[in-house]
Amino acid sequence: MTRKPLPLLSSGHSGGSRSAMTCLYRCGNACDHPAPNESGNEYFGDMARSEVSRRGVLQAAGAGAIVLGLAGAGVAGSSEAAEAAHGAAENAANSWRPGRGPQPLTFGAVEPNTADALTVAAGYAQSVVIRWGDAVVPGAPAFDAYNQSPAAQEKQFGYNNDFVAILPLDHSDRHALLVCNHEYTNEELMFPGFTGLANLTVEQQKTAIAAHGMSVVEIERVRGTGQWRPVAHGRRAYNRRISALSTKFRLTGPVAGTASVRTAADPAGRTVIGTLNNCSGGVTPWGTVLSGEENFNQYFVGADGAPQEAKASLDRYGISTATRYPSGSRQWDKADPRFDLTATPNEANRFGWIVEVDPFDPDSTPRKHTALGRFKHEAANIVIAPDGRVAVYMGDDERFDYLYKFVTHKRYRPGDNRHNLTLLESGDLYVAKFSYTSAAEIDGSGKLPGDGAFDGSGVWLPLVKDNRSMVEGMTVEQVLVHTRLAADKIGPTKMDRPEDVEANPVTGHIYVALTNNTQRGTAGKAAADEVNPRNANKHGHILELVEDRGDHAGTSFTWSIPIVCGDPADPATYFAGYDKTKVSRISCPDNVMFDRSGNLWISTDGNAFGTNDGLFAVPLSGPEAGHLKQFLTVPKGAETCGPALTGDGESLFVAVQHPGEFSGASWDSPASVWPDGDHAKPGIAVVWHPDGRSIGR
Ligand code: FEO
Ligand code: CA
Ligand code: CA
């Protein structure tokens, strides 16, 4: 076909570095609206003024915790088989062992670029594993952009892959389940002849709804190479599409069955159709996958007609109560009336949860765990506390929103899958409040204080404890459904968009990606503090949190900031004290991952320098601590998601989300032609080194 000229690229959008198209499709133009946290919960400065010693990233303390993640073997088709698979999964996880201290990251850094390509470090190879529209469920039709349908999309790989989990099916690291989230849709890039969201047919709207959700895909490594591919048709016993159109989810926990989640279609308040805006996630020690429902607000309309008593919460979650169709609305009410909050005001309460999917049991009903609270969940990652209880760390990705932790009531029992699958149904929910060592010195410039560190201590403030509400005037049901409003009342610290939160498996220390917050310090907004130390924070930072006594079920911690992102030539950046002339520039950290040596890998979304997003690696201890280098960049317009490593460290999976997402781009006139050279399609790629070395070595 004749190549069409590329559209003019947008110079960005009001809220940051992303194109207007990203803002519209992914967040419902969140940056154009006020940050929803208008609460009077301002930060009151140094709470305890306790001096903590500088320990931070340069100290590799032993961990009193187990950080697990991998899963195992078996065949699908029966609960016994699923049980066997989980048993093997746990064996694989428990046999995991860290490398012998930090391993050097020897790759040469990839330079910033705007190439329409997945660019990997010299010597490494890459290939596409699966892309939007590829067959997932047996019987899936071949992708045809001109004949898309909801039925076809429910059998094909969904749109905008974000989180990626690789769950091994045997101990060879050559056969695995790939589980991923399909966060949102770019209708403009999906449908030929697109002329506006309001002009889509109901069939197209339902196709887009079906393109949301998750996929489970059985994959194998191609013999003699580092390439991976979906297994041959007919062997896909585990393969599954979970969609927003038809997959039933069961609500668990204190909110299940309550008035807040009952609707005319579900008078029992226990069964929700679909999951929405699944961003990142985590893998549990018992071999299931957790997924965060993030910007669910954008799918609802008609909140102007919702009952008055519901409006404070709708506003706090970014659902406009001022108009029927907010700007950029997908108007899904035309395809499914449940998206109209005038008619079904409780439907919004059925999204914004952490969901758990058991990929080893393709017939299982995925669940939404209400005990973990409702907000714009980025992800959920688990650490087992010394006493066996399970701690789940979670960020609420919105400017000035909070960092949360959930601690189960019950203890993890290795090998007892039936029991472990109930762990997330009851527990205590906390939100983080930070205190500081250098509060008076923080001027918003990013200048390090005199003690040489952005650091301090903090506490986990209880929201729900022992099945009782800890928030005056709110019931447990109210706290868990309207968690943001509940948290506002007890004074947690307003953060710069908490994204992924994960534990380093070598040290047990927790790392938080705070992606950016250009409104920090602007009129009427919270000013910089020591844990969010820059006003107009364009580039974000990485927070390290160390639970006191290594007790992940506890309520106190110390913290520091090992990395303040940006251009290393900018004095307002920090890379754990490393020589800044040798580090890569980095902007807008989003997902974090660890390799077997405990090196931190960081993917970015929204690079405020205008070059492509990428994946970076940085040692956290030893003489190389802070030596951050860019390992790969994704095609233009794309965000780097995943990432995930196989247990042997030889295969790195990276999700290329929304390639070519620029204002003015379309299916017919794409701004990226990744991955196939014709149109822009989200997809998952794998990276390896031909000599079989571990990624990054
Ligand atoms: Fe979907 Fe917070 O990124
Ligand atoms: Ca300090
Ligand atoms: Ca994200």
Side-chain angles (χ1 to χ4, degrees):
M1 70 183 279
T2 311
R3 295 282 323 130
K4 300 232 171 53
L6 295 179
L8 288 175
L9 303 186
S10 147
S11 60
H13 196 54
S14 60
S17 49
R18 271 289 177 224
S19 82
M21 192 168 175
T22 304
C23 299
L24 188 157
Y25 285 90
R26 186 179 22 190
C27 326
N29 288 327
C31 295
D32 284 347
H33 309 307
N37 191 354
E38 297 290 332
S39 70
N41 168 32
E42 290 300 330
Y43 157 60
F44 291 106
D46 202 346
M47 189 173 63
R49 302 236 170 222
S50 62
E51 288 294 320
V52 296
S53 62
R54 168 75 181 140
R55 23 106 236 125
V57 294
L58 304 180
Q59 176 185 341
I66 312 168
V67 184
L68 300 171
L70 305 178
V75 291
S78 71
S79 56
E80 289 82 20
E83 203 73 39
H86 280 284
E90 294 193 8
N91 288 339
N94 287 311
S95 65
W96 185 92
R97 58 198 183 285
R100 285 188 209 140
Q103 296 288 311
L105 293 166
T106 58
F107 67 89
V110 170
E111 291 299 316
N113 64 74
T114 55
D116 188 27
L118 179 61
T119 304
V120 298
Y124 286 83
Q126 50 95 7
S127 69
V128 177
V129 179
I130 192 166
R131 61 180 71 60
W132 170 53
D134 285 354
V136 170
V137 178
F143 178 74
D144 178 352
Y146 296 88
N147 285 294
Q148 298 184 56
S149 71
Q153 181 62 84
E154 285 209 300
K155 295 189 169 80
Q156 298 166 334
F157 200 64
Y159 205 80
N160 271 346
N161 31 234
D162 195 304
F163 176 70
V164 176
I166 301 295
L167 303 159
L169 280 163
D170 57 35
H171 293 277
S172 70
D173 288 308
R174 277 165 165 68
H175 187 201
L177 294 183
L178 181 158
V179 184
C180 91
N181 288 344
H182 301 296
E183 187 181 19
Y184 69 105
T185 44
N186 292 92
E187 283 81 346
E188 221 162 320
L189 303 182
M190 292 173 67
F191 298 113
F194 176 92
T195 57
L197 284 169
N199 302 328
L200 291 176
T201 65
V202 164
E203 183 85 345
Q204 287 174 317
Q205 288 183 323
K206 288 186 171 175
T207 301
I209 296 170
H212 284 69
M214 300 172 72
S215 287
V216 180
V217 185
E218 193 176 339
I219 57 172
E220 62 190 357
R221 186 165 166 178
V222 181
R223 194 174 295 276
T225 140
Q227 202 172 346
W228 287 69
R229 66 185 172 203
V231 300
H233 203 72
R235 288 173 53 209
R236 299 169 178 168
Y238 296 98
N239 282 21
R240 183 174 192 183
R241 260 312 310 284
I242 290 167
S243 94
L245 190 66
S246 65
T247 306
K248 284 186 179 166
F249 283 72
R250 183 163 64 81
L251 289 170
T252 80
V255 176
T258 65
S260 298
V261 288
R262 290 184 205 137
T263 63
D266 175 30
R270 295 186 180 275
T271 307
V272 181
I273 303 297
T275 184
L276 285 171
N277 211 261
N278 300 69
C279 190
S280 196
V283 178
T284 69
W286 49 96
T288 60
V289 169
L290 305 179
S291 172
E293 294 187 313
E294 195 188 35
N295 294 300
F296 63 91
N297 55 305
Q298 66 187 280
Y299 303 104
F300 293 95
V301 304
D304 57 327
Q308 196 57 37
E309 62 270 21
K311 287 187 173 176
S313 178
L314 292 168
D315 280 327
R316 185 65 179 82
Y317 284 85
I319 297 174
S320 172
T321 57
T323 176
R324 174 164 181 78
Y325 290 117
S327 68
S329 166
R330 287 177 171 77
Q331 304 188 16
W332 279 2
D333 57 315
K334 293 170 181 167
D336 186 340
R338 71 186 169 122
F339 292 109
D340 177 359
L341 297 177
T342 301
T344 57
N346 281 352
E347 191 65 22
N349 294 341
R350 292 147 64 85
F351 295 86
W353 304 104
I354 289 294
V355 308
E356 183 177 13
V357 172
D358 184 353
F360 293 100
D361 184 357
D363 298 322
S364 59
T365 301
R367 292 169 295 158
K368 300 194 181 195
H369 292 306
T370 68
L372 280 70
R374 176 172 166 269
F375 41 91
K376 291 188 180 180
H377 281 288
E378 170 73 20
N381 282 281
I382 281 177
V383 182
I384 305 210
D387 69 0
R389 283 183 289 166
V390 173
V392 188
Y393 292 88
M394 305 176 287
D396 182 353
D397 180 8
E398 185 102 48
R399 293 163 292 178
F400 304 110
D401 261 294
Y402 310 128
L403 179 67
Y404 293 85
K405 179 171 81 168
F406 175 79
V407 179
T408 59
H409 288 151
K410 294 192 279 193
R411 289 170 167 74
Y412 171 65
R413 288 189 207 146
D416 189 347
N417 185 41
R418 198 179 302 273
H419 168 82
N420 293 332
L421 284 170
T422 68
L423 286 174
L424 303 182
E425 296 183 354
S426 67
D428 300 334
L429 183 64
Y430 300 92
V431 62
K433 183 174 185 67
F434 294 81
S435 59
Y436 312 111
T437 60
S438 313
E441 295 176 62
I442 303 302
D443 61 6
S445 71
K447 181 167 168 281
L448 271 182
D451 65 0
F454 298 116
D455 63 352
S457 55
V459 291
W460 293 105
L461 303 172
L463 287 157
V464 174
K465 187 150 180 60
D466 300 328
N467 300 315
R468 293 199 311 273
S469 168
M470 305 302 284
V471 182
E472 198 176 334
M474 295 181 83
T475 64
V476 169
E477 173 188 347
Q478 289 168 331
V479 169
L480 295 177
V481 175
H482 312 296
T483 306
R484 283 181 166 184
L485 290 172
D488 291 343
K489 291 185 163 199
I490 63 171
T493 303
K494 293 178 172 179
M495 307 298 287
D496 285 351
R497 292 186 55 195
E499 298 252 26
D500 205 359
V501 187
E502 293 201 22
N504 183 334
V506 175
T507 63
H509 299 176
I510 304 298
Y511 292 82
V512 185
L514 294 153
T515 195
N516 61 50
N517 183 356
T518 53
Q519 289 191 6
R520 172 74 61 183
T522 58
K525 299 293 181 190
D529 53 37
E530 195 165 352
V531 72
N532 300 282
R534 287 185 299 192
N535 286 331
N537 179 9
K538 278 198 299 191
H539 299 299
H541 52 288
I542 302 287
L543 166 67
E544 181 200 64
L545 194 151
V546 181
E547 299 278 18
D548 286 352
R549 300 169 301 283
D551 183 4
H552 292 267
T555 57
S556 60
F557 57 83
T558 54
W559 64 270
S560 67
I561 297 180
I563 297 177
V564 182
C565 299
D567 186 332
D570 176 353
T573 59
Y574 179 69
F575 296 87
Y578 199 80
D579 178 355
K580 293 207 287 181
T581 65
K582 294 180 178 160
V583 307
S584 297
R585 76 183 193 195
I586 179 172
S587 179
C588 303
D590 188 341
N591 302 116
V592 295
M593 175 189 84
F594 296 89
D595 62 25
R596 293 180 53 189
S597 299
N599 296 310
L600 174 65
W601 292 69
I602 306 166
S603 66
T604 68
D605 169 23
N607 188 340
F609 295 112
T611 48
N612 291 351
D613 276 311
L615 177 65
F616 302 74
V618 57
L620 293 169
S621 60
E624 285 292 289
H627 190 181
L628 178 140
K629 293 189 289 186
Q630 184 161 241
F631 180 74
L632 62 77
T633 53
V634 290
K636 56 186 177 185
E639 161 185 353
T640 319
C641 296
L645 280 168
T646 47
D648 60 10
E650 293 181 12
S651 304
L652 168 70
F653 291 81
V654 60
V656 176
Q657 198 190 38
H658 57 72
E661 186 183 68
F662 288 103
S663 296
S666 65
W667 169 264
D668 305 290
S669 184
S672 165
V673 294
W674 193 89
D676 300 322
D678 48 7
H679 301 281
K681 291 182 184 174
I684 293 176
V686 63
V687 182
W688 70 94
H689 197 287
D691 71 8
R693 73 178 68 174
S694 294
I695 296 291
R697 302 292 176 267

